[in-house]
Amino acid sequence: MIEVLNYGYVRLVESMGTDLSIVRSARVSYNCAPRNDGSDDKLIKYLLVNNHTSPFESVVFTFEVRAPIFVLRQWHRHRTWSFNEVSARYTELPDEMYIPDADKIGYQSTSSKQAREIENKRSPEEAEFIRQHIEAVRLHSFNTYRVLLDTYNVPRELARTVLPVSTYSSMFASVDLHNLLHFLKLRLHEHAQHEIRVYAEALLKLIEPIVPITIKYWREINSI
Ligand SMILES: Cc1cc2nc3c(=O)[nH]c(=O)nc-3n(C[C@H](O)[C@H](O)[C@H](O)COP(=O)(O)OP(=O)(O)OC[C@H]3O[C@@H](n4cnc5c(N)ncnc54)[C@H](O)[C@@H]3O)c2cc1C
């Protein structure tokens, strides 16, 4: 398990396949046995370079992810994944909300409408003031949530509507290696929001020992 942000984590629940599964799938028309003479590695590189993608679908992962709702919302745009997320209709959400570290606040980018200049640091006093404002929202939202549930017996599906998108939620998420590499390319990119990039970095760390040859050449080809 790798901890991410203030309350989040990514855990590899299970996986099917290794680099050899990719080689076996690609050699379906020939002798599928591993060759161990360097040609297996070369084949993986060839498949990556030439976008011969389907053999990479023979490796599959399931992760458990705990992340702020706004991160999950970006993640769910990746339609090639399968998701099951905690339902706040069934269960109450714990009082856990994402509050950025002082050095991760930055400023709205002037060159990109969607980005932030994270390297442009604020003074510690100003950063702390911003964090306290966010913390005040957490207190107000979760106090209201508890009052709605405990005092007025408001249904969970309505009470949750007062919680901000920075509230943490959890999901199981399954994906094959081909589509995971696509996700990583997009979400490790500097255009991706910092808060999802750190999850992408954790995913990459978790899968690297399982498919080391693929990741080696994938990093090389994509300069990652
Ligand atoms: C930096 C960044 C900024 C973004 N900003 C926004 C934004 O402002 N607003 C917004 O709504 N989204 C935004 N997105 C989400 C983005 O538009 C994609 O929905 C998301 O990245 C998933 O990519 P994907 O469709 O390639 O992946 P997947 O959904 O996993 O699909 C993988 C591939 O399968 C194929 N595919 C999947 N579904 C279809 C289909 N229905 N038809 C044809 N081919 C399909 C495509 O080749 C696709 O690349 C942003 C993404 C990034 C990385």
Side-chain angles (χ1 to χ4, degrees):
M1 186 181 87
I2 298 180
E3 292 183 358
V4 189
L5 303 179
N6 54 340
Y7 291 110
Y9 60 83
V10 184
R11 182 171 75 85
L12 179 63
V13 177
E14 59 188 353
S15 68
M16 180 185 81
T18 63
D19 284 322
L20 281 181
S21 318
I22 298 160
V23 170
R24 186 184 57 212
S25 297
R27 289 211 186 106
V28 62
S29 310
Y30 306 99
N31 178 357
C32 305
R35 298 190 182 166
N36 298 321
D37 59 357
S39 60
D40 290 350
D41 294 21
K42 269 196 207 152
L43 175 58
I44 289 179
K45 184 172 182 182
Y46 174 87
L47 297 171
L48 284 168
V49 168
N50 292 284
N51 286 322
H52 186 354
T53 56
S54 56
F56 297 94
E57 294 170 28
S58 58
V59 181
V60 180
F61 303 96
T62 297
F63 302 98
E64 184 182 6
V65 181
R66 181 152 184 76
I69 289 168
F70 71 88
V71 170
L72 295 186
R73 198 167 160 181
Q74 294 183 344
W75 207 312
H76 292 164
R77 298 307 314 279
H78 295 264
R79 296 155 289 181
T80 46
W81 289 62
S82 300
F83 303 106
N84 285 99
E85 188 185 353
V86 163
S87 169
R89 298 179 73 195
Y90 280 96
T91 187
E92 294 172 12
L93 294 179
D95 180 355
E96 291 177 350
M97 184 179 132
Y98 173 61
I99 300 181
D101 288 342
D103 64 336
K104 295 291 182 297
I105 296 174
Y107 290 87
Q108 176 60 45
S109 168
T110 48
S111 56
S112 159
K113 283 191 176 157
Q114 68 177 356
R116 81 181 185 250
E117 288 167 4
I118 209 164
E119 304 308 327
N120 192 354
K121 305 292 179 210
R122 292 174 182 269
S123 70
E125 297 74 25
E126 193 175 60
E128 199 44 45
F129 186 69
I130 291 166
R131 281 167 47 81
Q132 280 170 15
H133 268 300
I134 300 173
E135 168 66 8
V137 170
R138 182 193 67 77
L139 268 175
H140 182 62
S141 302
F142 276 95
N143 284 344
T144 307
Y145 183 56
R146 292 268 34 113
V147 169
L148 294 178
L149 291 171
D150 302 338
T151 310
Y152 295 101
N153 193 26
V154 169
R156 284 188 289 273
E157 67 180 13
L158 275 184
R160 66 174 171 173
T161 61
V162 301
L163 298 177
V165 290
S166 48
T167 305
Y168 274 82
S169 181
S170 300
M171 66 175 180
F172 287 113
S174 300
V175 67
D176 64 61
L177 180 58
H178 164 58
N179 286 297
L180 177 53
L181 293 177
H182 178 67
F183 174 95
L184 292 177
K185 203 168 161 186
L186 291 174
R187 299 301 179 177
L188 288 171
H189 194 274
E190 61 181 16
H191 289 171
Q193 179 166 352
H194 164 76
E195 284 77 11
I196 196 164
R197 281 173 74 179
V198 287
Y199 281 90
E201 284 163 11
L203 291 175
L204 184 54
K205 269 193 201 145
L206 288 171
I207 67 161
E208 198 156 14
I210 298 170
V211 281
I213 307 298
T214 302
I215 297 303
K216 178 183 153 197
Y217 290 123
W218 179 80
R219 280 184 185 278
E220 197 178 291
I221 292 161
N222 294 289
S223 306
I224 288 172

